[in-house]
Amino acid sequence: MSTVLAAAGVGAGEAWTFWILGPLAILAALGMVVARNAVHSALWLVLVMLCLGVFYVVQAGPFIGLAQIIVYTGAIMMLFLFVLMLVGRDASDSLIEVLRGQRLAAVALGLGFAGLVGAAFFRALDSRDAIGLAQANAEGNVQGIAASLFTRYVFAFEVTSALLIAAAIGAMILAHVERHKDQKFTQPDLMRARFAPGNYPGPKPGPGVYATSTSVATPGLLPDGRLSDRTISPILPKRELTEAESTPKATEGR
Amino acid sequence: MEPGYYVVLAAVLFTIGAVGVLIRRNAIVLFMCIELMLNAGNLALVTFSRINGTLDGQIMAFFVMVVAAAEVVIGLAIIMSIFRTRRSASVDDANLLKY
């Protein structure tokens, strides 16, 4: 329970944690901004959030730290990755600047903002001693948060439930695709279409398996030696076989 | 070191998120930068909670998390519906209202 009863001052262990994880969080945040691939950005952001979760636990907030790890890195970032996979992970940025010099101006503005706000906070807080949460956490951090949450903040807590319901309904409305009545197919319609003449009802043949390649993107060979397009999924780019791979190896009959 | 260092770190992370919003084009990455800014605000709130010796800051950080979760759900749904109609997640391509 030593972390729960964290003292007002900063011990040596906490200072070590800060000086290791703080620069790591800043590097990961920079990596998120400069990464070309959106999936890499998401993973960098996960690292930032894990570092922040450790900071919360160190600062006598084990509940908020674990909520950070479970809700942010567990739920929200996985939702991000899910949408990235739906939208296509090759959706990378264009390098064309629409407004000339915007990036440079943004970085200069950011440096100025960070210097100003950071220096102001540091000057304001440097001379102040932290009171520490030892008294507030005397009965445990979760108990202390619950006592406040269900008395002083109970109205805000109830409003939160309305917010979550509104968000769930909004997501359902946005994700819903309106379909006209004559565009709907029933199961008998689908079965009739499947067994109609001109459509092969069985499963499609598998991709080619060769001594040098078992990729799902290599097409299989027909009996006469031609490549078959039906053996690979249309969304995959077709991997052309090299001459050495597609010529018969003359191993038959040995 | 003092607890004020955490607030300086929060300011730096917030700035990185703000700069990311300004320089990136992909709508999903923009959203991640906004999440980074919210996280930096949470770090400042938790530090203030420790400096002031009350748990109010942690409760506010908890509410920020709830609002962020709701915001992500709606925002990603909007990005998905824009992607369905425009086939692009770049904020430069959504310019129908420009002229």
Side-chain angles (χ1 to χ4, degrees), chain A residues 103-171:
Chain A
R103 280 188 187 148
L104 212 63
V107 170
L109 212 68
L111 284 177
F113 183 79
L116 214 60
V117 176
F121 270 132
F122 190 71
R123 277 181 67 91
L125 295 170
D126 193 32
S127 55
R128 268 197 75 166
D129 270 343
I131 297 174
L133 287 170
Q135 199 188 346
N137 276 345
E139 293 176 33
N141 180 250
V142 179
Q143 282 84 348
I145 284 182
S148 281
L149 195 61
F150 294 116
T151 52
R152 281 182 64 192
Y153 293 97
V154 70
F155 182 67
F157 187 70
E158 298 288 339
V159 171
T160 303
S161 64
L163 177 76
L164 286 177
I165 291 174
I169 293 174

Side-chain angles (χ1 to χ4, degrees), chain A residues 138-228:
Chain A
E139 293 176 33
N141 180 250
V142 179
Q143 282 84 348
I145 284 182
S148 281
L149 195 61
F150 294 116
T151 52
R152 281 182 64 192
Y153 293 97
V154 70
F155 182 67
F157 187 70
E158 298 288 339
V159 171
T160 303
S161 64
L163 177 76
L164 286 177
I165 291 174
I169 293 174
M172 278 191 265
I173 289 172
L174 285 170
H176 181 68
V177 182
E178 198 70 42
R179 204 168 269 160
H180 207 259
K181 196 166 260 178
D182 52 346
Q183 286 175 328
K184 280 183 185 163
F185 297 108
T186 59
Q187 189 64 25
D189 290 341
L190 291 174
M191 293 309 282
R192 266 181 223 110
R194 184 177 167 203
F195 289 102
N199 189 37
Y200 179 66
K204 288 185 173 165
V209 177
Y210 302 98
T212 52
S213 164
T214 55
S215 161
V216 289
T218 46
L221 289 178
L222 290 174
D224 56 357
R226 284 181 296 125
L227 300 177
S228 169

Side-chain angles (χ1 to χ4, degrees), chain A residues 62-131:
Chain A
F63 172 74
I64 201 79
L66 286 182
Q68 161 89 4
I69 290 173
I70 294 169
V71 173
Y72 262 118
T73 60
I76 293 182
M77 289 320 293
M78 290 313 115
L79 192 64
F80 266 108
L81 284 177
F82 188 71
V83 170
L84 272 177
M85 294 301 165
L86 277 178
V87 167
R89 39 169 216 86
D90 59 324
S92 47
D93 274 7
S94 63
L95 288 169
I96 304 161
E97 274 189 312
V98 178
L99 303 171
R100 192 183 305 157
Q102 187 219 8
R103 280 188 187 148
L104 212 63
V107 170
L109 212 68
L111 284 177
F113 183 79
L116 214 60
V117 176
F121 270 132
F122 190 71
R123 277 181 67 91
L125 295 170
D126 193 32
S127 55
R128 268 197 75 166
D129 270 343
I131 297 174

Side-chain angles (χ1 to χ4, degrees), chain A residues 7-10 14-15 18-19 22 26 29 32-33 35-36 38 41-42 45 48-49 52 55-56 58-61 64 68 72 76 79-80 83-84 87 91 93 98 102-103 106 110 113-114 118 121-122 125-126 128 130-133 136-137 141 144-145 148-149 152-153 156-157 160 163 167 171 174-175 177, chain B residues 1-9 11-17 19-20 22-26 28-29 31-33 35-36 38-40 42-43 46-56 58-70 72-74 76-81 83-84 89-90 92 98:
Chain A
V10 177
E14 187 182 348
F18 180 82
W19 289 116
I26 291 176
M32 181 200 76
V33 172
R36 286 273 132 233
S41 287
L45 187 56
V48 178
M49 287 172 171
L52 292 188
F55 284 148
Y56 298 167
V58 166
Q59 298 210 74
I64 201 79
Q68 161 89 4
Y72 262 118
I76 293 182
L79 192 64
F80 266 108
V83 170
L84 272 177
V87 167
D93 274 7
V98 178
Q102 187 219 8
R103 280 188 187 148
F113 183 79
F121 270 132
F122 190 71
L125 295 170
D126 193 32
R128 268 197 75 166
I131 297 174
L133 287 170
N137 276 345
N141 180 250
I145 284 182
S148 281
L149 195 61
R152 281 182 64 192
Y153 293 97
F157 187 70
T160 303
L163 177 76
L174 285 170
V177 182
Chain B
M1 73 173 265
E2 308 286 328
Y5 282 94
Y6 284 107
V7 187
V8 176
L9 175 67
V12 172
L13 288 178
F14 185 92
T15 310
I16 293 172
V19 170
L22 288 176
I23 66 175
R24 292 304 297 259
R25 294 279 171 280
N26 188 335
I28 300 174
V29 179
F31 228 120
M32 287 185 220
C33 292
E35 290 301 314
L36 180 64
L38 287 171
N39 264 288
N42 272 354
L43 178 62
V46 171
T47 310
F48 290 150
S49 165
R50 176 195 194 174
I51 290 174
N52 287 323
T54 59
L55 286 173
D56 293 345
Q58 293 190 6
I59 290 172
M60 282 172 202
F62 178 68
F63 281 129
V64 170
M65 267 184 209
V66 175
V67 172
V72 162
V73 168
I74 293 295
L76 288 179
I78 290 173
I79 290 174
M80 280 302 299
S81 58
F83 183 79
R84 267 209 300 259
S90 172
D92 278 343
K98 196 171 171 188

Side-chain angles (χ1 to χ4, degrees), chain A residues 205-210 213 217-232 238-248:
Chain A
V209 177
Y210 302 98
S213 164
T218 46
L221 289 178
L222 290 174
D224 56 357
R226 284 181 296 125
L227 300 177
S228 169
D229 283 335
R230 294 185 65 233
T231 54
I232 52 170
K238 189 159 72 177
R239 181 179 175 277
E240 292 293 340
L241 289 178
T242 58
E243 193 64 35
E245 279 174 330
S246 59
T247 47

